[in-house]
């Protein structure tokens, strides 16, 4: 009975997959925040190096991973695909459960898959420093690590709620050589404005993005780096799904259900997009499902329309499922899922009916994660507890129906820096929040009406 399905380093995929090449129509354009006209590569140049801008708008199906990036990936990639024997025994049903484990990376999550690529292309373009935001701290530590490898300075704006909950993530970010500020901070004009309005705000990813973008937009030697949402970020993550396809082929399995948690959509897309490609090609027909928190339910309760990527209206407008850019979600422990929007490509696939979405409450996801940890030996990060919970429910449903389903999910990171969340769970202090409809309506009322 194999538990870890492993690929040799030589079998690591050599290309990222760009799903845009396989869509029936080009995805909606990205619009300028001021004029609401489609932006061209030059409009994005103050924020990103040209190689990444070209990847953002690329239409090639596959893009080769430069050897310098593959060399770094080999520190932890290919990542293992685990057969969840312990979980299968616990549930006692006919389902076969597999999970791709991204917690083996140096910072404990999938985030370095794109951080390393982004740092590489920025260094190649002669950029000196990157600014970014971080929710859970996973992205901040990934970019700090990647910048240290390629000789770049790095400045991280960490959502206040997570900054307070996760002191060791902050220490990790500093260990890799980056500077870190709680967001909102008094460092930026936008941060100062937010602090004046509400000095006790827990912050949000939308606010932290505005601060990091402001730093890049007002300093020539600084560029901005985003850990999710954008097309090129999702594409860098597809190495996860490309590896998983190869690994499942080794054990002659085809998934019936593919599951990932979704904050901005990058780990979900990373696992799912290669399977969406196979589904579109007719070689398999899995249900592909994103799982989000009930406290930030963009895919399940948001509107599909153009909105800003940040609270301060500095980023371009993208068409996505959104709860409204002014939305400040409740301080749930899955900090990386507290975002008002969703990746445009994930949103588009949901509209096309190629993927589906559901939402869960955190007390349920932590209860499931504890069960998982006790039989599989891995403590999931708060974000992937949502994927764990959904996979376990699917396996239970398969048991009730007597169906031999093959379930694949992404365990996007471990929770070793998130033990305060588990402590709160055991102390009975975790609260569930369903985001109130009147707050969604109020935030959506501030979204500009843009046709399309
Ligand atoms: C371990 C982990 N999983 C998932 C997420 C959610 O982000 P995304 O939806 O881009 O994968 C985060 C974000 O910080 C994370 O740290």
């Amino acid at each position: 009975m194999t538990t870890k399905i492993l690929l040799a380093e030589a079998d690591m995929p050599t290309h990222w997959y760009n799903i845009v090449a396989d869509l029936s129509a080009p995805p909606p354009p990205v619009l300028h925040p001021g004029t609401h006209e489609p932006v061209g590569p030059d409009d994005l140049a103050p924020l990103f190096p040209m190689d990444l801008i070209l990847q953002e708008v690329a239409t090639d199906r596959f893009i080769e991973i430069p050897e310098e990036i593959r060399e770094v990936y080999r520190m932890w990639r290919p990542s293992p695909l685990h057969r969840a024997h312990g979980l299968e025994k616990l549930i006692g049903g006919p389902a076969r459960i597999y999970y791709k484990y991204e917690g083996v990376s140096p910072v404990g999550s999938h985030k370095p898959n794109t951080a390393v690529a982004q740092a590489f292309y920025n260094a190649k373009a002669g950029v000196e420093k990157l600014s970014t935001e971080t929710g859970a701290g996973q992205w901040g530590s990934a970019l700090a690590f990647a910048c240290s490898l390629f000789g770049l300075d790095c400045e991280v704006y960490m959502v206040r709620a997570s900054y307070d909950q996760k002191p060791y993530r902050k220490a990790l970010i500093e260990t890799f050589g980056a500077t870190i500020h709680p967001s909102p901070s008094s460092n930026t004009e936008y941060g100062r404005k937010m602090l004046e309005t509400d000095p006790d705000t827990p912050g949000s990813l939308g606010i932290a993005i505005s601060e990091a973008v402001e730093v890049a937009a007002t300093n020539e030697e600084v560029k901005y780096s985003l850990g999710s949402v954008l097309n090129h970020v999702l594409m860098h993550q597809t190495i996860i799904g490309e590896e998983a396809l190869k690994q499942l082929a080794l054990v002659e399995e085809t998934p019936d259900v593919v599951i990932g948690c979704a904050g901005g959509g990058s780990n979900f897309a990373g696992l799912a997009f290669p399977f969406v490609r196979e589904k579109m090609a007719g070689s398999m027909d899995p249900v592909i499902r994103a799982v989000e928190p009930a406290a930030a339910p963009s895919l399940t309760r948001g509107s599909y329309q153009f909105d800003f990527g940040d609270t301060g209206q500095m980023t371009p407008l993208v068409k996505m499922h959104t709860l409204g850019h002014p939305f400040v979600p409740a301080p749930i422990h899955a900090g990386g899922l507290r975002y008002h929007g969703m990746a445009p490509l994930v949103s588009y696939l949901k509209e096309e009916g190629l993927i589906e979405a559901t939402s869960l409450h955190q007390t349920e996801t932590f209860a499931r994660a504890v069960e998982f940890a006790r039989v599989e030996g891995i403590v999931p990060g708060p974000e992937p507890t949502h994927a764990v919970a959904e996979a376990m429910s699917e396996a239970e449903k398969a048991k009730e129906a007597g169906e031999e389903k093959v379930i694949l999910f992404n365990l996007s990171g471990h929770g070793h820096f998130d033990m305060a969340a588990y402590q709160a769970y055991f102390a009975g202090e975790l609260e569930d929040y369903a985001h109130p409809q009147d707050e969604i309506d109020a935030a959506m009322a501030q979204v500009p009406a843009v046709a399309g």
Side-chain angles (χ1 to χ4, degrees), residues 53 91 96 174 232 351 375:
I53 295 172
I91 292 169
R96 296 193 293 284
E174 286 172 337
H232 67 270
E351 288 300 298
V375 291

Side-chain angles (χ1 to χ4, degrees), residues 139 235 259 277:
W139 169 245
M235 186 187 74
I259 294 168
R277 176 186 70 221

